[in-house]
Every structure is written in C-alpha cells, then in structure tokens.
Amino acid sequence: MTTTTLEGVLEQEQARTARTAPAPIPLSRIVSVELRKSFDTRSGFWLLASVGIAAVLATAATILFAPDSELTYDSFAAAIGFPMAVILPMIAVLSVTSEWSQRSGLTTFTLVPHRGRTILAKAIVAVSIGVVSMLLAFAVGALGNVVGSALAGVDQVWDVSFIDVTDIILFNILNMMIGFMLGVLIRNSAGAIVAYFVYSFVLPTLSMVLATSQGWFKDLQPWVDFNWAQGALTNGSSMTGEQWAQLGVTSIFWLVIPLAIGLRMVLRSEVK
Amino acid sequence: MIKVESLTKQYAGFTAVDNVTFTARPGRVTGFLGPNGAGKSTTMRIMVGLTPASSGYAEVSGRRFADLPNPGLEVGVLLDASAQHAGRTGREILTIAQRTMGLPAGRVDEMLDRVSLTDDEAGRRVRNYSLGMRQRLGIATALLGDPDVLILDEPANGLDPAGIRWMRDLLRGYADRGGTVLLSSHLLHEIEVIADDLVVIGQGKIVAQGTKSELLATAGTLVRTPDAHELGQALTTAGVAFTPSAATGSQDALRVDADPGVVGRVALDAGVHLVELRTADGAGLEEMFLELTADTQRETITEGAAA
C-alpha cells in the first residue's frame, strides 16, 4: 500500500512539472460513454430491455390471438411495431432530458464543454439503438411467423418487402428523432414525454377533425400534417415521389426547425 | 492558475456577478468567501463554461475553459455533489468520468481509495449516499484526471469534523505540490484554517481580497464593557473612531481604531469598567463578513447600544 501511494505522489509531482497539452477527446469516445450511460441505470436498462420484452410479448399475442388466415409476417411486424413506436422515442427523450432532470449535465458538460458534441453523440447512440432494436424486432417477428405458421399448420406468408422494412425502420427512426428533438427543446423528462404524446396523438386528431370540417385544409393536410406524411411510410405500398416530398417538407417544419431552435438553446443556456 | 477578469453576469432585473476580478495562484489555496447568494457559485459556473458571462472572462491555465482539449485532465471541478444521476452507483459515476477523460480503468479504484469510499459503498446507488459520501465522490471525480487546478464549491458541506480535517490536509498537500486550489465557503472559520489567499464577495461584488495574513491583520482594538454607551462618549470626546461590534454576537462590544493602550487609558479616565480588551485580530474581517450577511440573513443583529 505504501509503495502505491508513494508512486502516486511521485507521478503527480512529475505531472505537475512537465505537462504537455492533452489530446482532444475524440467523438468516438463520447459516443461510447453515452452508450454506456443509456443502460447503466436500472431505469435505462429496463427501458432498453423492454424493447426485447415487448417484441416477444407482441409476437406471442399474435400467435395466440390472430386468426390463422392472418398469421402473416405483416401481422407480426404490425403487432411489434406498435410498442416500438412508443418505447423508442422514450429512450431518445430520456437520453437527453436526464442530463437536466437528474442534473448529471453539470459533470457531463464540464468534462466535455462543447455541448454540441455530447448532443451529437447522444443522437448517434439513439439512432443506433433504434436501428438495432428494429432489426431485433423484425427477427423476433420472423421467428414468430415461422413458429406461428407451424403451430397453426398454415403456409408461411412473407408479405413484407425489403422496401417495407426500410420504410418501417425509417418511420421509427423519425419518431425517435421527434422524441430527441422534444428532449433537446424542452429539457425536462416529464414535459418532453407529454409533448411527445401531444405531438403524436393529439395533433393528428386535431388535423383530422380540421380536414373533415374544412375543405381547404383537406388538400393542404399532406403538406402540413407530419404524422400524415409519416403514415405513408407504413401503409405497405412504396412511397411516391410526391409522398417523399411531403415527408421532406413536413420534416423541415416539425422536426428540423424545432431541433435547430432547441440546439441553439442548449448551447447557450445555463446548466444548473 | 485561474484568472478572472471583469466578470459580470446580469439576469433580468439584477446583477448576480458585478465586475469581479481576481487571480488564484499556483501553490496556494484561495478561499472564495461570501454569504449565500453572493455570487460565488455563479462565478464558478462561469469559470467552467456552464453559465455564459454577460461580459468579462475567466481563464484556467491560460485558456478559456471551452478551449481546453480535455478539461478533466487540467481542471478538477466539484460544483454540486448532489448533481448526479441518483440511479448510478458511485463506481459507475467515476467510471464514466474515467472513460470520458481516456484514463486507465485502475484510476477509479485509486480514487475510491484516496477518498476512503469502500468497495461496498462504491457499489451502492448514489440516491442512498449521505451528503458527506457524495462530497467524497465528487472530490474523487475532481481528482481523477490529476489536474493542476481544482475548483470546488462548498466542498466541506456535509462532511463530519474528521472529514473536514481530511479535506483540509488533502487540499493543503495539493497546493504544496504546486496545484491551484479555489474553494468557496460561506463560513469564515472554515476558510480561515485552510486558505492562503482570500477573495471576499458580497452581493456580486468583491469587497476584499488579499493574503489571509493581510486581511486578518487589520489594526484596531476590540473592547467589551457593560457601559458601552459611556465608553462611546468618552472615545468620541478623545477623538477616537469606533464602531459597535457584532463580532462577539453581543451588544456590549466596540471595535476601536486605536491600540489597546489608548483605549485602556480612555476607559480609565472615564471610569468605565472593562470586561475584555484585546487587539482585534481578524475581527475586522469578521465584522465585514457579518455586515455582508446582515441583509440576507434571517436573524437580525441588534445594533450596538453605543451608536
């Protein structure tokens, strides 16, 4: 023990006399730290675990309750897709807001004073988690389709194309980015989660009511309603050029601009 | 070395930090002293880039904090020991910092050992930590990168007397090896025993700064008497300036701008009975500090009867 302490002291003295400027922190290191932070707490761990758990439960429910004629890959994908669309955005929201709600940002942003790098790392982690989760979900669904068809004694039906898969993944990543954006903009866990549900469930309903009662809005809706534009990704047919344009336009207004405002606030705000 | 130059932070309606300038030098412990809400924490947050300054700047080791390539290796920071994710274990919090700084994993155990957190305690979640344990963990995080500069906001809060002693020795040793230590406190006595230099702040402004010996060696005499009013009159007649003193917490003390011999002479001539007569070592600083706190504290100090 004595030797280690002595060495420690000597090492410190040397460091204090001859010090070279340390190398900057690489982004890859910040990403790996942020990934670690996303599951090193009980809540974070179970939130991530719930992705797998929800996929398995949704698959089991489809096998148990779906009529034989509907034991197709599309049914499995749809059943798993619903919980994913709720859980993944929550992961994205909390990865940002916990720095403020739990106040760990005081340490995070003093160790990495360029907040934009931390936020970028968090975005990379969130998107990676989203893609991996969706691939896992599709794998579980495929397994369910094989097992379910065998149990029911019907032929396997693979009615989800590769394009559909990428569209559905994109749909979920977009949802995650909405969560992420709200986290950056609101920086409070409860507030951002509530805002997410308003965004995904209240606004679309309002838009629908408006479209049915006001003729002028009906034609405008695909270019204004983000949820509507996203819906085109999941309706099973491939996207038309116009639909991509609508998705692009609505994304700019509902995602890119608020995210830019949020980032600006994060970079300038006071961390307490 | 920490350099703060004309630092000002304004919020809507009030100025939290008002034109603050000071330097914390290597090899010395600089005490940043002021009542609650004086602007200590805001100043420290500006130093480490958590709060943007309205004007002026702060430099650590000759650079703006944001320009440090890997700040954890150059500046150890402890601003609020409770500002941690309550669901992480102490060891995990250190591991995150260790990985961010790019240090070897063994450093975490070294630091846990250094701040006397046991393996069992390190494995507990921070929500179950006492404030003292959180402070130790926070100090471990600050020391992790073996920085040249330490910035600690009220590090003694929540520590027991043995812990305060331990911290004092640790910071002393740190400064003696050439490190720069800046620590804040709202307790004069706490700062008095450890600091070499003092920066006193009140309502956002620096009210005094210098070495401890300079500030404590304020001339004057502290005198206590049941007949403070009569002594006051005698002193006025003799043309000696004085102020009622709140230093002893009682109403019967005066701080006089003269040697004890002069005051004793005046008292003898006036026939006033004294209960205490001594040089006012440090009383000047304490007086000033109490005046600073008088506006914000809830307990009111009764003005001396002699006034």
Side-chain angles (χ1 to χ4, degrees):
Chain A
M1 277 322 277
T2 326
T3 36
T4 21
T5 325
L6 190 62
E7 272 167 21
V9 170
L10 286 176
E11 189 187 275
Q12 275 171 356
E13 273 179 301
Q14 280 164 0
R16 202 135 291 137
T17 45
R19 170 151 291 191
T20 50
I25 305 174
L27 182 65
S28 59
R29 201 195 286 160
I30 307 175
V31 171
S32 78
V33 167
E34 288 303 328
L35 179 63
R36 185 185 176 103
K37 278 160 75 177
S38 60
F39 53 83
D40 69 352
T41 61
R42 226 173 259 166
S43 53
F45 174 81
W46 284 108
L47 196 58
L48 282 183
S50 69
V51 168
I53 295 168
V56 171
L57 286 181
T59 304
T62 310
I63 294 176
L64 286 176
F65 304 120
D68 288 357
S69 60
E70 277 182 35
L71 277 178
T72 68
Y73 192 40
D74 187 49
S75 312
F76 283 99
I80 298 172
F82 186 72
M84 292 298 137
V86 176
I87 298 169
L88 292 178
M90 294 303 110
I91 291 176
V93 165
L94 294 175
S95 77
V96 180
T97 55
S98 68
E99 297 284 357
W100 278 268
S101 290
Q102 294 280 345
R103 302 184 61 223
S104 50
L106 243 69
T107 310
T108 307
F109 297 127
T110 31
L111 290 180
V112 184
H114 294 278
R115 299 178 198 169
R117 302 185 77 205
T118 303
I119 299 294
L120 175 63
K122 283 178 185 296
I124 292 172
V125 168
V127 170
S128 312
I129 288 176
V131 171
V132 170
S133 301
M134 287 313 296
L135 293 178
L136 176 82
F138 277 115
V140 172
L143 198 67
N145 194 22
V146 172
V147 173
S149 313
L151 286 178
V154 295
D155 288 338
Q156 292 172 16
V157 183
W158 300 95
D159 50 356
V160 179
S161 71
F162 179 73
I163 297 290
D164 292 338
V165 170
T166 52
D167 280 358
I168 291 169
I169 292 179
L170 181 62
F171 170 81
N172 279 282
I173 298 301
L174 268 179
N175 265 322
M176 266 188 117
M177 290 319 292
I178 293 173
F180 193 84
M181 174 275 287
L182 291 169
V184 170
L185 193 65
I186 296 172
R187 282 169 280 146
N188 172 290
S189 301
I193 289 173
V194 169
Y196 179 76
F197 285 106
V198 169
Y199 227 80
S200 329
F201 298 106
V202 179
L203 286 183
T205 316
L206 286 179
S207 164
M208 209 168 65
V209 170
L210 199 60
T212 44
S213 61
Q214 305 287 323
W216 59 268
F217 186 74
K218 199 167 168 51
D219 301 333
L220 215 56
Q221 193 182 20
W223 297 95
V224 175
D225 186 337
F226 192 22
N227 203 272
W228 174 287
Q230 284 179 78
L233 283 169
T234 55
N235 65 6
S237 56
S238 57
M239 299 267 287
T240 65
E242 192 185 23
Q243 283 172 323
W244 281 114
Q246 288 165 347
L247 188 61
V249 169
T250 49
S251 293
I252 286 173
F253 285 100
W254 291 97
L255 182 61
V256 177
I257 292 176
L259 184 62
I261 295 171
L263 280 175
R264 206 179 150 83
M265 284 159 68
V266 163
L267 297 185
R268 293 171 169 225
S269 70
E270 209 176 351
V271 181
K272 282 192 163 178
Chain B
M1 165 120 147
I2 302 169
K3 193 175 164 214
V4 175
E5 187 68 48
S6 317
L7 203 65
T8 298
K9 175 68 187 175
Q10 280 163 328
Y11 292 100
F14 85 110
T15 306
V17 178
D18 193 354
N19 199 24
V20 163
T21 300
F22 69 88
T23 302
R25 289 176 288 161
R28 299 180 74 84
V29 176
T30 304
F32 196 23
L33 182 67
N36 297 325
K40 300 186 297 288
S41 299
T42 308
T43 307
M44 287 178 144
R45 274 205 316 274
I46 294 173
M47 280 178 199
V48 301
L50 289 178
T51 294
S54 303
S55 65
Y57 66 92
E59 278 181 358
V60 186
S61 302
R63 289 199 239 190
R64 309 275 174 118
F65 192 87
D67 295 335
L68 298 172
N70 192 342
L73 300 181
E74 299 187 57
V75 194
V77 182
L78 169 59
L79 293 184
D80 185 343
S82 296
Q84 287 297 351
H85 196 300
R88 289 200 178 104
T89 65
R91 179 183 297 277
E92 181 61 25
I93 284 170
L94 279 181
T95 305
I96 288 171
Q98 165 253 320
R99 291 195 166 210
T100 310
M101 294 181 211
L103 295 166
R107 197 73 191 145
V108 170
D109 284 307
E110 265 174 61
M111 284 305 111
L112 286 170
D113 204 40
R114 182 111 182 249
V115 301
S116 316
L117 283 175
T118 64
D119 259 9
D120 173 53
E121 288 167 332
R124 267 188 245 164
R125 289 175 201 278
V126 169
R127 85 163 49 84
N128 303 318
Y129 274 29
S130 66
L131 181 54
M133 286 164 73
R134 285 174 200 214
Q135 292 285 17
R136 284 172 188 269
L137 181 67
I139 288 165
T141 315
L143 295 176
L144 193 64
D146 187 27
D148 277 341
V149 177
L150 286 180
I151 297 177
L152 311 171
D153 197 0
E154 306 261 359
N157 258 4
L159 290 177
D160 52 24
I164 291 178
R165 172 88 187 238
W166 160 80
M167 161 113 67
R168 194 192 303 160
D169 294 345
L170 185 127
L171 298 183
R172 184 72 267 157
Y174 208 83
D176 288 347
R177 288 195 301 274
T180 306
V181 180
L182 176 70
L183 85 158
S184 74
S185 178
H186 60 278
L187 301 172
L188 175 62
H189 296 290
E190 195 179 281
I191 287 267
E192 235 179 320
V193 292
I194 177 164
D196 304 303
D197 298 320
L198 289 175
V199 176
V200 189
I201 187 171
Q203 292 170 353
K205 291 192 183 73
I206 290 191
V207 289
Q209 61 177 317
T211 64
K212 181 172 63 178
S213 40
E214 274 167 23
L215 288 177
L216 293 185
T218 42
T221 299
L222 188 86
V223 59
R224 228 151 50 84
T225 168
D227 307 319
H229 185 68
E230 277 171 56
L231 181 62
Q233 285 180 329
L235 286 168
T236 313
T237 318
V240 182
F242 68 94
T243 48
S245 171
T248 55
S250 54
Q251 305 175 20
D252 56 357
L254 304 180
R255 205 173 70 76
V256 188
D257 292 344
D259 290 337
V262 176
V263 181
R265 186 84 240 165
V266 171
L268 178 64
D269 292 347
V272 173
H273 150 224
L274 301 184
V275 284
E276 191 179 352
L277 177 68
R278 60 177 168 91
T279 50
D281 270 345
L285 189 60
E286 183 152 18
E287 206 97 317
M288 179 178 70
F289 191 59
L290 282 165
E291 263 168 45
L292 281 175
T293 51
D295 290 344
T296 48
Q297 73 180 0
R298 289 158 210 282
E299 299 78 22
T300 45
I301 291 180
T302 323
E303 285 299 316

